[in-house]
Amino acid sequence: MTEESKREVKRASCFLCHLNCGVLCTKENGRIIKIEGDPECPHNEGFVCSRLEQNRWESFEYNPNRLKTPLKRVGERGSGQWEAISWDQAFDEIAERLKALRDEHGPETLCFLEGTYRTETHLHYKFTNLFGTPNTGGNGTICYSSDMWLEPCTYGGFCSDKSDWKRADLIVLWGRNPAASELLNWKWTYDNMRERGAKLIVIDPRFCEVAEHADLYLRVRPGTDAALALAMINVIIEEDLYDHEFVDEWCYGFDKLRERAAEWPPERAAEITWVPAEKIREAARMYATIKPACMPWGEKGGDGHGVNATNTIRAKAILRSITGNIDKVGGDQLTMPGDRGNTEDMNFAHNALAQGQRDKMVGNNRFPGLSFKGWDIISKAYPRFYPYCNAPLLFRQMISGDPYPVKACIVQADNPMLAFTNTHLVHDALCSLDLLVVHDYFMTPTAALADYVLPAATWLERCSRGYPTMDVEQVSMNGTMPVLERFEGGADIDFRDDYEFWYGLSERLGTADKWWGPTCEDMMDGQVAPFGMSFADFCEKVKYLRVPNKPEKYKEPGFKFLTPTGKVELYSTVIEQLNQELGADFDPLPNFTFPADFPEVNPDYAAEYPLNMITGARFMPFYHSEHRQPGAYRDLHPDPVFQIHPDTAMELNIAPGDWCWIETHKGRIKQRASLTTVVDPRVISVQHDWWFPEKPEAEPSLFGVFESNVNAIVDDDPDKYLDPLMGAWPVTGIMAKVYKVEE
Ligand SMILES: Nc1nc2c(c(=O)[nH]1)N[C@H]1C(S)=C(S)[C@@H](COP(=O)(O)OP(=O)(O)OC[C@H]3O[C@@H](n4cnc5c(=O)[nH]c(N)nc54)[C@H](O)[C@@H]3O)O[C@H]1N2
Ligand SMILES: Nc1nc2c(c(=O)[nH]1)N[C@H]1C(S)=C(S)[C@@H](COP(=O)(O)OP(=O)(O)OC[C@H]3O[C@@H](n4cnc5c(=O)[nH]c(N)nc54)[C@H](O)[C@@H]3O)O[C@H]1N2
Ligand code: SF4
Ligand SMILES: [Mo]
């Protein structure tokens, strides 16, 4: 065979972030030599971002530090001593230990932790439900999942990830900076502005990349967006700018909303938010009059707002509703249950979990929004929802054993030692387990604490049906077969993909018959069965499935929003019902609460920790805690960096590049100073998820996980910092201080 004949091009769906861009991979002798955007993919139309450009993907896919084989802990937990074992041994032993722990403590002793959407995310529900535990938790609480509960609560569907970026006349980027987080979405926005003259409002404490292009920019004080949104609602109602037809016909509780909004004149919000009242009015007028307008979801635009998560998310959902932008072409379109085809019991097996087990979910009654308690109510109207236990309570329960022991944890596609707040507590919690299993690509600070660490398959090594998120289609699915087989081209990694992981354990636990077969392809065959073809054929023939969304569904006869009243609930009867069942007093209308450490409520604290801290604003090329291994990504960004205003830096005698301590009552971490007017003098913006794969693995270092990781200094005390309904913890609006590291 000639060299040329060994060359082939395979299609794949990039999973280095959520956008799942369609790509073409050129292979030679079993190794990938080139990856480029697929011009035929309707989603990205050939676009790829800097993670794939200049062959940077090589330093991920072919990184020499990748885990090669299953590892079993042989020394003390966290001592870095491992024995290489086979997959069979790993599955056998883990299953045996799970059975023993289930016999001793009950199935709820097992929990599962997930990260952001990187894989066939729903699979773990099938496993945990069949095992009998309700305890699935993850970062979703501060990313998307709170929104995914509160939007259905409001309009019986989810629409802030179905923004019609390309056809909107106004785009409101609220706590969202797609130029650093979702690059394709920014390309669509920018093209729309240039080609169609669309306008842009940016609401962000940082004059971030997208703010530079805004028609109106509001520099909001971190953590106060709910007050801002309430004042915008106030202006829209007071100035009679709301969509009367939609409100009269389709909204429930407008009078009660009007009363609440009357409490929030822009002048009151201006004092809290630092945004001048006139600018609040201007934003409200623009949003209510330039139609259609979309207001996409943003992680810092609500979910990560700690005590104000519900307030902010609900207030924004109400803004979308009273301006009539819901489900419009160019607005935020509504998705309905079953849209992604994976709510049926075959995939989640929710029905396998007995009510008595559901009731045991950690946080079920205390933070009922995301839990089974909330699910029970909302799923009657809107079945597409994922229940979640509360992570801060879960970690505490691992340590206390109260009200029951949580002794086993499986972590797949998550790095809790970086992703969750209060890292020292997370550490102690993971160390108190009897069994910790981590399925990942690399030895991470979390994996370093495990009993078993198992090598995972990358997006190039597995089947996938990536659902490009943040697009307006009702269904969008990029079917791809593996580009690389195990051990192909001389590779030495004995990986199993995420499906094979669950199947391997299920086989040993006697539940294999509930799955589709031993391989991920078997599952995919099951998923595309309605098309009357195999998954391989689907990938060949259909490739990119696109089902357009049908806008203005509410104009169809007999339509009902999937809420208890069948209307858009400005005043939430779901929350009211939770109150009745639990004897609680969650607010059915949005309001604003001062975060516990703000100067308005705790002046002593704020005097010591005067700077308002943002954590985790995205930056390229890293994806959360990934890509820190030495190589092409890390070369672009070797050190952790925080942003500070030059005036503040001068007062503190900090020069550009200085290593500085960033401190809260939880302790201190260090990062290097970037002096920039992007931030307000009262604000700092600190990068998240820093660890150093080049530092020692063994305790106490754990790859330097406590040195620069901002979550080590963020508190998640459930009595003080969490959203009362959703249990969301804060990632922004956290009071801190900064000073130079003196060697
Ligand atoms: N302070 C602060 N904390 C934050 C945030 C913030 O803004 N500020 N953001 C929060 C948000 S929004 C999120 S979503 C979370 C993210 O939290 P995580 O999703 O936990 O983030 P990662 O650090 O990327 O961890 C993912 C791990 O899974 C591995 N992995 C990636 N893909 C796969 C896969 O397909 N299969 C398997 N088995 N493993 C895989 C990676 O190597 C990595 O170790 O962080 C949250 N934490
Ligand atoms: N490069 C990169 N891209 C990513 C990720 C990554 O880790 N790295 N993670 C992915 C994930 S899981 C997610 S959830 C998305 C999130 O991506 P985005 O939704 O864009 O969220 P962030 O970048 O965290 O924050 C967006 C902006 O909100 C601003 N902000 C901070 N605090 C506040 C506040 O209190 N109010 C307001 N209005 N704005 C505030 C920040 O300054 C920032 O510019 O990114 C995804 N894309
Ligand atoms: S935007 Fe995301 S999916 Fe697209 S090429 Fe970049 S990393 Fe891959
Ligand atoms: Mo996220």
Side-chain angles (χ1 to χ4, degrees):
M1 230 187 313
T2 63
E3 276 306 299
E4 200 49 37
S5 66
K6 289 181 204 159
R7 196 182 256 249
E8 56 179 329
V9 176
K10 290 202 153 191
R11 202 178 323 103
S13 183
C14 175
F15 237 119
L16 290 173
C17 87
H18 293 156
L19 294 179
N20 297 149
C21 294
V23 295
L24 298 171
C25 307
T26 306
K27 272 173 74 178
E28 211 171 75
N29 302 325
R31 275 179 78 88
I32 301 174
I33 54 161
K34 186 166 76 178
I35 300 181
E36 54 202 335
D38 181 358
E40 279 182 34
C41 178
H43 184 59
N44 56 312
E45 297 171 314
F47 168 90
V48 293
C49 78
S50 59
R51 288 200 190 94
L52 291 187
E53 282 165 355
Q54 299 189 19
N55 285 354
R56 288 196 187 97
W57 53 269
E58 278 179 351
S59 74
F60 168 72
E61 179 62 29
Y62 293 124
N63 193 297
N65 289 342
R66 272 186 66 184
L67 295 164
K68 305 229 174 343
T69 157
L71 298 174
K72 177 182 178 176
R73 172 169 74 83
V74 288
E76 289 284 296
R77 194 179 289 289
S79 65
Q81 291 164 276
W82 304 98
E83 177 195 348
I85 57 171
S86 70
W87 273 95
D88 275 334
Q89 185 184 341
F91 281 143
D92 288 345
E93 291 184 10
I94 295 166
E96 275 317 304
R97 292 178 71 174
L98 284 174
K99 278 188 218 162
L101 287 167
R102 179 164 61 183
D103 289 346
E104 194 181 345
H105 303 295
E108 61 277 10
T109 203
L110 170 67
C111 66
F112 171 78
L113 290 175
E114 70 170 2
T116 187
Y117 164 58
R118 307 305 306 280
T119 177
E120 290 296 321
T121 308
H122 59 282
L123 289 174
H124 56 79
Y125 276 111
K126 193 178 181 73
F127 182 86
T128 50
N129 284 330
L130 291 170
F131 188 82
T133 177
N135 288 324
T136 277
N139 297 287
T141 311
I142 53 157
C143 170
Y144 225 55
S145 298
S146 289
D147 221 294
M148 275 186 91
W149 192 80
L150 290 161
E151 284 191 50
C153 226
T154 310
Y155 28 70
F158 187 50
C159 73
S160 69
D161 79 335
K162 292 283 155 204
S163 295
D164 200 351
W165 305 79
K166 295 175 190 167
R167 291 180 292 184
D169 287 346
L170 170 68
I171 296 157
V172 183
L173 293 177
W174 192 324
R176 173 99 185 251
N177 180 20
S181 62
E182 316 272 9
L183 277 86
L184 189 54
N185 293 158
W186 176 236
K187 182 183 176 318
W188 295 341
T189 308
Y190 193 67
D191 289 349
N192 186 355
M193 289 165 67
R194 272 191 326 192
E195 288 159 21
R196 295 183 60 257
K199 299 274 184 268
L200 177 67
I201 298 180
V202 171
I203 304 176
D204 194 313
R206 298 186 313 133
F207 191 69
C208 61
E209 288 85 341
V210 296
E212 290 171 29
H213 302 270
D215 296 278
L216 180 66
Y217 167 61
L218 306 188
R219 175 171 266 182
V220 66
R221 174 189 185 185
T224 64
D225 297 78
L228 176 66
L230 283 157
M232 285 174 66
I233 296 171
N234 170 293
V235 174
I236 290 169
I237 295 178
E238 296 288 316
E239 299 190 5
D240 199 17
L241 300 173
Y242 61 93
D243 183 330
H244 281 260
E245 206 182 317
F246 187 78
V247 167
D248 291 349
E249 191 168 350
W250 286 114
C251 293
Y252 172 84
F254 184 71
D255 290 340
K256 291 193 179 102
L257 175 71
R258 183 197 284 274
E259 273 173 42
R260 175 59 54 83
E263 297 167 21
W264 285 97
E267 282 69 20
R268 178 178 176 201
E271 274 178 32
I272 295 169
T273 63
W274 302 342
V275 181
E278 252 336 284
K279 279 216 164 178
I280 300 178
R281 290 201 169 83
E282 202 183 334
R285 288 173 192 148
M286 266 177 89
Y287 181 60
T289 55
I290 302 179
K291 303 259 181 90
C294 70
M295 187 190 285
W297 175 87
E299 201 260 344
K300 301 289 187 298
D303 304 63
H305 277 222
V307 287
N308 282 301
T310 298
N311 286 330
T312 315
I313 295 167
R314 282 263 300 142
K316 286 168 68 183
I318 287 170
L319 277 169
R320 291 185 195 103
S321 308
I322 61 172
T323 52
N325 277 307
I326 297 285
D327 215 23
K328 287 267 169 63
V329 170
D332 301 299
Q333 297 192 12
L334 203 59
T335 45
M336 305 301 274
D339 280 353
R340 291 188 188 170
N342 57 13
T343 42
E344 330 84 271
D345 201 50
M346 176 66 174
N347 288 355
F348 286 83
H350 280 324
N351 292 337
L353 196 64
Q355 187 62 44
Q357 286 307 105
R358 290 179 184 188
D359 293 343
K360 291 181 192 161
M361 178 179 247
V362 173
N364 199 41
N365 291 339
R366 180 149 181 203
F367 299 110
L370 269 178
S371 69
F372 269 111
K373 192 90 209 164
W375 188 78
D376 282 343
I377 297 177
I378 206 168
S379 64
K380 291 194 181 85
Y382 178 80
R384 191 191 135 195
F385 169 68
Y386 314 70
Y388 239 37
C389 72
N390 183 262
L393 291 183
L394 181 74
F395 292 127
R396 284 165 174 78
Q397 193 167 327
M398 284 178 187
I399 295 168
S400 70
D402 182 30
Y404 58 81
V406 174
K407 283 289 161 201
C409 176
I410 300 178
V411 175
Q412 184 181 63
D414 181 21
N415 194 359
M417 284 292 290
L418 277 305
F420 293 93
T421 45
N422 212 346
T423 313
H424 291 276
L425 180 99
V426 175
H427 169 263
D428 295 351
L430 297 181
C431 287
S432 69
L433 294 167
D434 286 346
L435 176 65
L436 175 61
V437 178
V438 175
H439 188 209
D440 204 308
Y441 308 127
F442 294 96
M443 184 61 76
T444 65
T446 304
L449 294 173
D451 297 276
Y452 295 89
V453 181
L454 309 166
T458 69
W459 59 283
L460 292 160
E461 298 159 348
R462 65 182 185 215
C463 295
S464 94
R465 48 165 173 172
Y467 301 112
T469 47
M470 313 295 175
D471 204 346
V472 77
E473 271 89 18
Q474 189 193 18
V475 176
S476 57
M477 182 168 144
N478 298 351
T480 53
M481 295 292 286
V483 176
L484 294 169
E485 300 297 330
R486 193 159 42 235
F487 302 129
E488 200 183 343
D492 56 354
I493 298 174
D494 191 9
F495 58 73
R496 294 291 180 279
D497 65 40
D498 297 313
Y499 178 87
E500 291 168 321
F501 172 88
W502 295 117
Y503 187 85
L505 282 181
S506 300
E507 251 185 325
R508 273 90 179 163
L509 291 165
T511 48
D513 59 319
K514 302 285 190 303
W515 298 74
W516 293 263
T519 68
C520 188
E521 194 176 340
D522 293 327
M523 176 190 70
M524 295 297 183
D525 283 341
Q527 302 294 322
V528 300
F531 293 90
M533 56 178 93
S534 68
F535 186 67
D537 277 352
F538 179 91
C539 294
E540 195 54 41
K541 293 176 187 149
V542 183
K543 296 192 279 198
Y544 300 116
L545 173 71
R546 291 296 181 274
V547 179
N549 210 343
K550 213 187 219 181
E552 299 189 74
K553 293 179 266 296
Y554 55 85
K555 292 200 170 152
E556 284 163 25
F559 178 90
K560 276 191 169 59
F561 285 94
L562 298 180
T563 60
T565 56
K567 298 201 166 191
V568 173
E569 297 199 350
L570 307 175
Y571 178 92
S572 173
T573 69
V574 175
I575 296 179
E576 210 172 37
Q577 203 176 322
L578 278 174
N579 284 340
Q580 279 159 10
E581 284 186 21
L582 293 168
D585 62 349
F586 302 113
D587 199 338
L589 286 167
N591 211 340
F592 170 77
T593 310
F594 278 106
D597 296 334
F598 268 33
E600 285 87 342
V601 282
N602 194 349
D604 292 343
Y605 188 91
E608 186 168 359
Y609 302 102
L611 295 168
N612 185 323
M613 174 169 76
I614 297 167
T615 73
R618 309 302 188 243
F619 61 102
M620 290 296 283
F622 299 145
Y623 200 82
H624 293 295
S625 70
E626 284 192 69
H627 307 132
R628 298 300 194 288
Q629 286 74 23
Y633 294 117
R634 183 73 183 279
D635 288 348
L636 288 179
H637 206 110
D639 295 323
V641 170
F642 74 103
Q643 295 179 319
I644 183 167
H645 193 280
D647 294 349
T648 315
M650 190 134 80
E651 270 171 36
L652 297 168
N653 194 24
I654 292 169
D658 277 352
W659 282 97
C660 296
W661 292 111
I662 300 156
E663 187 176 314
T664 71
H665 66 280
K666 296 297 288 182
R668 63 184 191 177
I669 55 145
K670 59 185 175 184
Q671 300 203 355
R672 302 185 75 168
S674 160
L675 275 52
T676 166
T677 54
V678 159
V679 286
D680 186 278
R682 297 161 284 187
V683 171
I684 53 171
S685 177
V686 179
Q687 289 179 345
H688 76 315
D689 275 352
W690 270 96
W691 62 293
F692 305 93
E694 67 275 18
K695 295 200 175 180
E697 175 191 332
E699 292 260 27
S701 164
L702 298 173
F703 301 112
V705 75
F706 299 110
E707 291 175 24
S708 299
N709 163 17
V710 71
N711 278 329
I713 61 165
V714 179
D715 201 351
D716 62 349
D717 181 345
D719 294 329
K720 225 174 154 183
Y721 299 105
L722 269 50
D723 181 84
L725 178 62
M726 310 308 291
W729 51 95
V731 298
T732 189
I734 298 153
M735 302 308 288
K737 72 174 166 191
V738 171
Y739 50 100
K740 211 156 110 169
V741 173
E742 305 287 357
E743 290 309 336

